[in-house]
Amino acid sequence: MATDVVMPQMGESIAEGTIVRWIKKVGDKVDRDEPLFEISTDKVDAEIPSPAAGVVSEIRVKEGETVPVNSVVAVIGSGASAADAAPAPAAKAPEPPKPSPQADGAPAPAAPARSTPGGGTGLQAGPNLDAGPSKTTEDAIRERSSPLVRKIAKEHNVDIAQIHGTGIAGRVTKDDILAFVAGQEGGEADRPASAASAPSAASAKHAGGSAAVQAPTAPVPPAPKFTPGAGDVVEKMSPMRKRIAEHMILSRRTSAHVHSVFEVNFSRLAQIREARKADFERSGAKLTYMSFIIKAAVDALRAVPIVNASVDGDTIVYHQEINVGIAVALDWGLIVPVVKRADEKNLLGLSRAVADLANRARAKQLKPEEVQGGTFTITNPGVFGALFGTPIISQPQVAILGVGNVEKRPVVIEDAIAIRPMAYLTLGYDHRVIDGAVADHYMSHLKKQLENWDPNTV
């Protein structure tokens, strides 16, 4: 009996996924729960296990194609041998709907706003958006766009109904929204009337109800055209690489980035770590400098809560939970799993949580909710030998901590030169809401705790 393999829904707001790689090919035997293919979504990359044992008899979606959740991507047959399975041609992807002609190539004008039950206005469905009598316009817009697309649209005051989607069933893709935004920023002459008369970007909102306060920006010049040389190797960005690029550009356009660098003496931590690391190993965890840094960073967030906040229009949201994202470098990109409620964990709990998330990130076993909801991020370029870095803020957060390499250096201790393990810690912060004095107050709190750690708290 044949078993259909479908594109899984990796999270409540995920509507589609991209096949990154087929681990098994047509004719290969596969066991139940054995990795079958890799997917990439707006939230996470993951290996998808086979729903049944048998032989891969058909692959319907090629690598690199994006399909809606619950679409059949392959078929597992119950044949006794691989020879019984014959390759089947991949299903042809549906052609994207062609946009209606517009004068001079301009985007379609925004549909008029309609009244909502709350007395405000809502977005009117465009020609590719048929919400139906039982759905609100907002529900229909969500169906034809991903969370990332909606975040970019809100950031730039764009009505998604203006955009003709080129994705499946008319969905607005990331390329569609980025191209539309680039057209807006190319000059006032190219802007649609609705964009030119849009309210100030100070009220533009991000994903999850957060928003950016932005001053008007100068027109962005088009990217220079580049012609590869004869010996150059050209390859497309992976889905993860494209998402990283989009998020980093969005963050730089959103936040006024400033960085403060503090030098920290790790002598006391080195002594405590040497004395207690065996105890941690017997408990199944490693006591690393990062464990101390996370704990101290969390305590400093309690002391300076503005660093654990987000911007929402002209208001500041102070988060009650402290959810710390830990950047994990992968061979194929970067991902930031989140330690939820980090302030409720001790050093041992933090060590275990970080090791578990990092290991499952490298094995592509993270769940979408494990890379969402972060309120503060820590990145560790020092693990590769960097003295310090100036990291980019993860939106909609307002700060990120960079950890430099811990190495022995000559320092002045009470008018004498001594050799001590030292490291630079960098706080990147959003100057829209965090002033230099506040950032330095946070870093001073962090430095004091790291240099004067109480051994009884380990």
Side-chain angles (χ1 to χ4, degrees):
M1 180 177 178
T3 302
D4 288 341
V5 180
V6 301
M7 174 64 70
Q9 184 163 16
M10 300 293 290
E12 184 177 353
S13 63
I14 306 277
E16 62 188 12
T18 301
I19 301 289
V20 176
R21 179 172 71 96
W22 282 102
I23 299 172
K24 297 291 185 179
K25 308 299 182 184
V26 171
D28 288 351
K29 291 184 178 180
V30 62
D31 293 329
R32 181 182 176 86
D33 296 329
E34 184 180 2
L36 181 60
F37 60 101
E38 293 180 13
I39 68 168
S40 180
T41 71
D42 281 344
K43 300 298 182 185
V44 69
D45 289 4
E47 290 184 350
I48 304 304
S50 174
V55 174
V56 181
S57 60
E58 185 178 355
I59 289 178
R60 297 186 180 180
V61 178
K62 297 178 181 178
E63 293 180 354
E65 288 188 7
T66 300
V67 296
V69 299
N70 296 324
S71 299
V72 177
V73 299
V75 177
I76 303 295
S78 56
S81 66
D84 296 333
K92 184 178 180 181
E95 295 184 2
K98 296 182 179 180
S100 56
Q102 299 294 326
D104 299 326
R114 60 175 177 84
S115 298
T116 61
T121 59
L123 299 178
Q124 180 65 36
N128 290 329
L129 187 63
D130 184 10
S134 62
K135 297 182 181 179
T136 65
T137 305
E138 182 178 356
D139 290 337
I141 287 176
R142 286 182 177 275
E143 286 185 1
R144 66 190 291 266
S145 61
S146 68
L148 177 59
V149 168
R150 295 195 296 273
K151 177 171 68 175
I152 298 173
K154 290 181 180 180
E155 168 62 25
H156 293 276
N157 285 331
V158 172
D159 181 350
I160 297 180
Q162 295 176 261
I163 305 172
H164 289 285
T166 61
I168 296 173
R171 287 176 57 82
V172 177
T173 67
K174 290 176 286 187
D175 290 340
D176 293 335
I177 185 68
L178 290 175
F180 187 86
V181 169
Q184 285 187 309
E185 294 178 344
E188 289 295 330
D190 295 329
R191 293 176 184 261
S194 59
S197 60
S200 167
S203 61
K205 294 190 174 180
H206 301 266
S210 300
V213 177
Q214 285 184 293
T217 57
V220 179
K225 293 184 178 180
F226 175 75
T227 303
D232 293 344
V233 177
V234 179
E235 62 181 26
K236 289 186 177 180
M237 287 186 180
S238 67
M240 175 179 281
R241 189 76 260 161
K242 288 193 290 185
R243 290 200 306 275
I244 293 172
E246 292 160 1
H247 292 171
M248 294 302 97
I249 292 173
L250 176 65
S251 182
R252 294 293 288 186
R253 290 179 177 176
T254 299
S255 297
H257 282 68
V258 183
H259 295 83
S260 290
V261 183
F262 274 55
E263 189 174 31
V264 178
N265 188 334
F266 276 70
S267 296
R268 190 173 185 86
L269 294 182
Q271 296 171 357
I272 296 172
R273 180 171 174 266
E274 186 63 29
R276 297 299 305 275
K277 66 180 182 180
D279 296 336
F280 272 64
E281 289 174 357
R282 282 192 289 271
S283 299
K286 289 186 177 181
L287 181 58
T288 64
Y289 286 133
M290 181 57 71
S291 303
F292 290 100
I293 293 169
I294 296 172
K295 179 62 176 173
V298 166
D299 292 345
L301 290 175
R302 284 296 185 206
V304 191
I306 183 63
V307 184
N308 190 55
S310 296
V311 178
D312 185 11
D314 57 357
T315 62
I316 300 171
V317 178
Y318 293 85
H319 300 295
Q320 293 303 304
E321 292 184 358
I322 296 180
N323 301 328
V324 180
I326 306 297
V328 177
L330 308 172
D331 291 340
W332 56 92
L334 178 74
I335 198 167
V336 186
V338 178
V339 179
K340 300 293 179 65
R341 296 181 177 86
D343 54 323
E344 298 177 3
K345 301 181 185 296
N346 57 18
L347 275 175
L348 179 59
L350 289 171
S351 299
R352 286 173 170 169
V354 171
D356 173 62
L357 289 171
N359 289 336
R360 288 193 292 114
R362 296 185 180 101
K364 296 186 177 181
Q365 295 176 349
L366 288 175
K367 300 176 182 177
E369 59 268 22
E370 292 176 320
V371 294
Q372 301 178 45
T375 61
F376 182 78
T377 298
I378 300 177
T379 182
N380 184 18
V383 73
F384 302 107
L387 288 179
F388 62 87
T390 55
I392 296 175
I393 298 167
S394 177
Q395 297 298 323
Q397 300 167 29
V398 295
I400 182 171
L401 181 68
V403 179
N405 185 34
V406 180
E407 62 179 9
K408 291 184 177 181
R409 290 198 288 268
V411 294
V412 177
I413 306 292
E414 297 179 355
D415 294 332
I417 297 178
I419 305 297
R420 295 289 186 270
M422 308 293 293
Y424 294 109
L425 303 186
T426 303
L427 183 71
Y429 58 95
D430 189 340
H431 208 343
R432 296 178 303 166
V433 292
I434 300 177
D435 295 328
V438 176
D440 291 346
H441 176 49
Y442 174 86
M443 292 297 287
S444 295
H445 193 291
L446 176 63
K447 173 183 171 74
K448 182 178 180 180
Q449 182 166 341
L450 292 174
E451 292 184 341
N452 301 278
W453 200 281
D454 182 358
N456 295 321
T457 62
V458 180

